[in-house]
Amino acid sequence: MDGAELTGKKVLITGASGFTGRHAVHYFQGAGADVTAVVRRPDIYAFDEKVSVYVCDLNDKHQVRELIRHVQPDYVLHLAGKNSVPDSWANPLLVLETNVMAVLYLLDALRCCPDVRTVIVGSRLKYTPEPGHVPAPPHPYSLSKALEEMVSLSWMSLFGQQIMLAEPGNLIGAGPSTGICSLLARHVAACEQTGKTEAFRLSGRDNTRDFLDVRDAVRAYAVLLLHGTSGRVYPVVSGVERSLGEIADLLLSMTDAEVPMRWDGASSGPDGAGKQEELPALRKLGWRPQISFEDSLRDILSDVRAHQGRITE
Amino acid sequence: MDGAELTGKKVLITGASGFTGRHAVHYFQGAGADVTAVVRRPDIYAFDEKVSVYVCDLNDKHQVRELIRHVQPDYVLHLAGKNSVPDSWANPLLVLETNVMAVLYLLDALRCCPDVRTVIVGSRLKYTPEPGHVPAPPHPYSLSKALEEMVSLSWMSLFGQQIMLAEPGNLIGAGPSTGICSLLARHVAACEQTGKTEAFRLSGRDNTRDFLDVRDAVRAYAVLLLHGTSGRVYPVVSGVERSLGEIADLLLSMTDAEVPMRWDGASSGPDGAGKQEELPALRKLGWRPQISFEDSLRDILSDVRAHQGRITE
């Protein structure tokens, strides 16, 4: 990808103060784009002063319409949403409203601008109905992401919009992630700084996951905004399964501290995030992961060492 | 069905002032049920004084929660919704919000009452995605009904609720219907009363549709509330295709007036409402249509003759 393609382009990023959003704003800003960071609350994160911050409740269709009218974007990266499976059990309505109605309001507002290219960031955890069977999503979150995808692709078909779906697996990196790599790195940093001795509990050493650095994912979203095929669903994964044992060994090799761990047993195999069937789609557009897994872990550890006191930001 | 099964049961009917709603309230009231008619506005229709009328905006989750808490129903018949395909093009957001969020708010409020049995009335026009293809609903209405079904059946799976889906085809009967039978009957009554001479335009005489009397449909909903299998989708159709020519001939045989008609040509075949594949499901529960097509047309004609002056009610 030629970075110049983004220079001066108006890129609107929703969910900008979230884990991926912060990295996305940084990347597009660095690529010369004119970035509008859409946030629900302005006090969550302090963006670079060159970034335009726009406060908007995406569940309010009038605010969303005004946002699009005001920004007139060239590209939209929709990252906002509720992403916690446990929270989706605690408040199913909220996850449905937030993940389905927000995308509907956004895409409906974008009907005014048929040249805009939009990437909707879904999830590998989305539920896929089996034809001829009663829908049985495992949790409300998976239902919300299935509906989000159906609304997005239908809006494309109905109104001729340019919409790509990105489906990231397990993204890792510096910042407010609650993924296993960040949790484990925080444990390591806590042991270094406070001599914490309670063991960190993990499932089987052989359990594997597909991990991708969030910065590689953001580059994938940029590639899709510029060159993705409208109506297509793109898995955004590394294609490499890593075991929990490997992660623990790597992180422990980066510290001198005593880091107690407890393996609670049962192996459950891969979580399916890295399923390969469509992996070549993004590679054909010239994208491939550039950041090694070791570098990702090292950066996470540096970040949590620096921010251990304020991990709840 | 033994009518006594409904005696004293609390039946909540949404969309009660609509075409089907009025017939449903009348039927359940007659069967001895304790009916709550849920309406958005109280001034649309004057119900029998024994009916409890409850004003509720189903797009307001707090109002919906209060409705369920107040009524504590045994059975819920959800008829409310936007049903116009042209309107769904004019305001796609409204049809999505009304048809999808209302059912979500209703079913979520009903999580408090796992014994409640609910019939959601969908549509034979709902879009069915083809596996492996980008979703391409023909209009926003068909998308809204597909999402409504997916939300309903998923809520059943996720929260163990008892939910049946009914999918009526073309319902006909007295009242504020905009179907072809009512429109044609209004033309006949207008010719009788005012000597109107402008021709009524219809497509090919050979075009066929599956028509079912709305009173037969309401009995089907009652059967499903009492005996339907949770998670199942029931087509509610007559199983008989009638041609437009047959309808016109029957109505003209019921009048002495001069009724000019104009056939605009092309035959398009059945609209698919009466597809047979699952028809036996309701018949196995003991339901079958009881009102002849001729009687349906005669009743529609009597109704429009009596109300011609206020067909916009």
Side-chain angles (χ1 to χ4, degrees):
Chain A
M1 184 181 60
D2 178 3
E5 291 174 275
L6 286 166
T7 308
K9 297 292 183 187
K10 287 189 278 187
V11 178
L12 186 151
I13 300 173
T14 72
S17 57
F19 167 55
T20 304
R22 299 176 191 187
H23 289 278
V25 169
H26 181 76
Y27 174 84
F28 284 95
Q29 179 78 7
D34 174 3
V35 176
T36 299
V38 181
V39 299
R40 183 184 289 261
R41 284 173 42 194
D43 54 349
I44 302 285
Y45 183 70
F47 291 99
D48 183 290
E49 60 188 13
K50 274 174 284 177
V51 175
S52 307
V53 177
Y54 193 109
V55 179
C56 179
D57 176 359
L58 296 177
N59 277 357
D60 180 325
K61 62 185 161 191
H62 305 292
Q63 287 188 33
V64 174
R65 232 174 260 155
E66 185 49 38
L67 163 70
I68 298 301
R69 202 177 294 139
H70 177 80
V71 176
Q72 299 276 328
D74 298 301
Y75 299 102
V76 174
L77 177 59
H78 180 53
L79 292 164
K82 299 280 176 198
N83 289 310
S84 157
V85 170
D87 288 355
S88 84
W89 280 114
N91 193 343
L93 263 196
L94 185 66
V95 77
L96 268 287
E97 288 177 319
T98 308
N99 292 356
V100 183
M101 296 316 284
V103 86
L104 184 59
Y105 291 155
L106 185 65
L107 294 180
D108 199 66
L110 286 166
R111 284 166 60 201
C112 67
C113 333
D115 292 335
V116 174
R117 289 173 59 83
T118 302
V119 165
I120 306 294
V121 179
S123 167
R124 299 289 278 170
L125 294 183
K126 111 188 146 199
Y127 172 64
T128 303
E130 268 184 85
H133 288 78
V134 175
H139 38 70
Y141 174 68
S142 67
L143 171 65
S144 79
K145 296 309 257 188
L147 297 178
E148 182 188 66
E149 176 182 307
M150 193 158 163
V151 164
S152 302
L153 296 179
S154 295
W155 234 246
M156 183 208 74
S157 300
L158 288 166
F159 300 108
Q161 293 175 299
Q162 299 179 68
I163 299 168
M164 284 66 63
L165 264 285
E167 286 194 348
N170 301 294
L171 301 188
I172 60 174
S177 161
T178 54
I180 185 66
C181 295
S182 287
L183 295 179
L184 196 43
R186 280 175 205 144
H187 176 62
V188 169
C191 291
E192 290 172 341
Q193 291 168 18
T194 66
K196 187 181 178 187
T197 52
E198 200 183 329
F200 190 90
R201 295 174 67 159
L202 278 162
S203 57
R205 280 187 68 89
D206 298 333
N207 284 348
T208 63
R209 299 282 180 271
D210 181 295
F211 294 104
L212 179 70
D213 194 286
V214 64
R215 294 162 290 185
D216 279 327
V218 166
R219 279 195 312 105
Y221 302 155
V223 167
L224 294 180
L225 282 172
L226 291 168
H227 305 297
T229 301
S230 188
R232 189 148 187 179
V233 181
Y234 292 88
V236 179
V237 295
S238 71
V240 181
E241 293 280 333
R242 307 272 176 180
S243 72
L244 296 187
E246 182 182 356
I247 300 170
D249 292 346
L250 275 167
L251 276 170
L252 295 189
S253 76
M254 297 174 189
T255 184
D256 294 328
E258 188 76 20
V259 180
M261 307 280 295
R262 187 161 132 208
W263 297 96
D264 269 351
S267 289
S268 57
D271 66 352
K275 278 178 302 189
Q276 299 289 313
E277 72 274 24
E278 292 179 82
L279 192 57
L282 251 172
R283 309 241 166 173
K284 280 187 191 149
L285 296 176
W287 174 87
R288 41 187 43 78
Q290 293 181 345
I291 300 167
S292 76
F293 188 60
E294 292 73 9
D295 283 347
S296 296
L297 288 184
R298 197 167 289 117
D299 291 347
I300 295 171
L301 193 52
S302 301
D303 181 61
V304 296
R305 278 171 177 153
H307 296 90
Q308 186 72 300
R310 43 193 176 100
I311 58 171
T312 56
E313 64 179 339
Chain B
M1 183 181 60
D2 178 3
E5 292 174 274
L6 286 166
T7 307
K9 297 292 184 188
K10 288 190 277 186
V11 178
L12 186 150
I13 300 173
T14 71
S17 58
F19 167 55
T20 304
R22 298 177 192 189
H23 289 278
V25 169
H26 181 76
Y27 175 84
F28 285 95
Q29 179 77 6
D34 176 2
V35 176
T36 299
V38 181
V39 298
R40 182 184 290 262
R41 285 173 40 194
D43 55 349
I44 301 285
Y45 183 70
F47 291 98
D48 183 288
E49 60 188 13
K50 276 175 284 180
V51 175
S52 306
V53 176
Y54 193 109
V55 179
C56 178
D57 176 359
L58 296 176
N59 277 357
D60 180 325
K61 62 186 163 192
H62 306 291
Q63 287 188 32
V64 174
R65 233 175 259 154
E66 185 48 37
L67 164 70
I68 298 302
R69 202 177 292 139
H70 177 78
V71 177
Q72 299 276 329
D74 299 301
Y75 298 102
V76 174
L77 177 59
H78 180 53
L79 292 165
K82 299 281 178 199
N83 290 307
S84 158
V85 170
D87 288 357
S88 83
W89 280 114
N91 194 342
L93 263 196
L94 184 65
V95 77
L96 267 287
E97 286 176 320
T98 308
N99 292 355
V100 183
M101 295 317 284
V103 85
L104 184 60
Y105 292 154
L106 185 64
L107 295 179
D108 199 66
L110 286 166
R111 285 165 58 200
C112 66
C113 332
D115 292 334
V116 175
R117 289 174 58 84
T118 301
V119 165
I120 305 294
V121 179
S123 167
R124 299 289 278 169
L125 294 184
K126 106 183 154 204
Y127 173 64
T128 304
E130 268 184 87
H133 288 79
V134 174
H139 38 71
Y141 175 69
S142 67
L143 171 65
S144 79
K145 295 310 260 188
L147 297 177
E148 182 189 66
E149 177 182 307
M150 192 156 165
V151 164
S152 303
L153 296 179
S154 296
W155 234 245
M156 183 206 74
S157 301
L158 288 166
F159 300 108
Q161 292 175 299
Q162 300 178 66
I163 299 169
M164 285 65 64
L165 262 285
E167 285 194 346
N170 301 294
L171 301 188
I172 60 174
S177 161
T178 53
I180 185 66
C181 295
S182 288
L183 295 179
L184 196 43
R186 280 176 206 143
H187 176 61
V188 170
C191 290
E192 290 172 341
Q193 292 169 17
T194 67
K196 187 181 178 187
T197 53
E198 202 183 328
F200 190 90
R201 295 174 67 158
L202 277 162
S203 57
R205 282 187 68 88
D206 297 335
N207 284 348
T208 63
R209 299 282 180 272
D210 181 295
F211 294 104
L212 180 70
D213 194 285
V214 64
R215 293 163 291 185
D216 279 327
V218 166
R219 280 194 311 105
Y221 303 156
V223 168
L224 295 180
L225 282 172
L226 290 168
H227 305 296
T229 301
S230 188
R232 188 145 188 183
V233 181
Y234 292 88
V236 179
V237 295
S238 70
V240 180
E241 294 280 333
R242 306 274 176 180
S243 72
L244 295 187
E246 182 183 356
I247 301 170
D249 291 347
L250 275 167
L251 277 170
L252 294 190
S253 76
M254 298 174 190
T255 184
D256 294 327
E258 188 76 19
V259 180
M261 307 279 296
R262 189 163 130 205
W263 296 96
D264 270 351
S267 289
S268 58
D271 66 352
K275 278 177 301 188
Q276 299 289 313
E277 72 274 26
E278 292 179 81
L279 192 57
L282 251 171
R283 310 240 168 175
K284 280 187 192 148
L285 296 176
W287 174 88
R288 41 188 43 76
Q290 292 180 345
I291 301 168
S292 76
F293 187 59
E294 292 74 8
D295 284 347
S296 296
L297 288 185
R298 197 169 287 117
D299 291 347
I300 295 171
L301 193 53
S302 302
D303 181 61
V304 296
R305 278 172 176 150
H307 295 89
Q308 185 71 301
R310 43 194 175 100
I311 57 173
T312 55
E313 63 180 340

